[in-house]
Amino acid sequence: MSIIEKKRGIVIALDITDADLAVELARQLCGLEGNFIFKIGRPLEMQRGYKIISEIKKISQIPIIYDGKIADIPYISSRIAQIAYEAGADAVIVHGFVGRDVIESILELNRGDVIVVIGMTHPGASQYINPIAKQLVEIVNILGVNGVVLPATKPEIISSIAPMLEKDIYIMSPGIKAQGAEVGDAIKTGADYEIIGRAIYGASNPKKIAEEFYKIVRLL
Ligand code: O7M
């Protein structure tokens, strides 16, 4: 059973490098209407450490994903995940290419959702990770992870992988606006959530634009 529901929504990437501003933004976004999730990644974590997760959790009901893109040996990977869950993360993100035992070590904690990166958005992703996306599907299906990350910039990858995934695994797709895809592109090809950073936190009214984007994906 996942904490994050498999339904259309927007993941807001809080990649702001000023932690005070990020907390202020999270406060402004508290009353968002719709299915929203926050993603806290390394740029923000580097400012204030894992405590930034607890800080944002305290002021908002919106579920939090810790995006450490964990990619270490099982012992270290599960320790990183544990710290994030204990700080209040509802989900953590781990790289799929590191192998089954790493993903298992985090699943065994049984503390929250586990989301696995099986494809990426940048041009260099076509060198190594995207060609093995189908192989990574086998692992995520067998292990019963909660979600996967697939690139909105490569709709053909989402449309070929989505039907192969176990039906309760949700798909989250970054690459919207700043990286070239349009809002709704990933949902149209089979994703459940679109991950959006700069186009929301860089907007003059982030709450308004986030709700506008949500409306687009909800009405597709
Ligand atoms: O909308 P942006 O481009 O400002 O931000 C995109 C976010 O998605 C940012 O937080 C990236 O770390 C993340 N992301 C990618 O852009 N590409 C990927 O292939 C994978 C991710 C990601 O979220 O992986 C978990």
Side-chain angles (χ1 to χ4, degrees), residues 13 15 39 67 69 93 117 119-122 149 174-176 178-179 195-199 201:
D15 295 330
K39 182 171 83 70
D67 177 13
K69 289 195 188 64
I93 296 183
V117 179
M120 292 193 76
T121 53
H122 58 299
V149 175
I176 311 293
Q179 296 181 59
I195 300 175
I196 310 178
R198 286 165 280 184
Y201 65 73

Side-chain angles (χ1 to χ4, degrees), residues 14-22 42-44 46-48 201:
L14 297 173
D15 295 330
I16 302 163
T17 48
D18 178 326
D20 290 330
L21 276 183
R42 301 302 312 282
L44 188 49
M46 290 292 282
Q47 306 305 308
R48 204 167 282 176
Y201 65 73

Side-chain angles (χ1 to χ4, degrees), residues 7-8 14 20 25 34-35 59 68 80 82 99 106 111 126 130-131 152 155 166 173 179 187 211:
K7 64 178 198 185
R8 286 177 186 180
L14 297 173
D20 290 330
L25 176 62
N35 184 25
I59 57 170
I80 297 169
Q82 176 129 14
I106 299 177
R111 293 291 302 262
S126 53
N130 290 348
E166 288 293 333
S173 291
Q179 296 181 59
I187 305 260
E211 284 175 340

Side-chain angles (χ1 to χ4, degrees), residues 61-93:
Q61 304 289 318
I62 294 176
I64 294 177
I65 299 172
Y66 168 63
D67 177 13
K69 289 195 188 64
I70 301 170
D72 212 312
I73 57 168
Y75 176 71
I76 300 294
S77 293
S78 62
R79 284 180 71 185
I80 297 169
Q82 176 129 14
I83 292 168
Y85 288 132
E86 280 172 5
D90 300 284
V92 301
I93 296 183

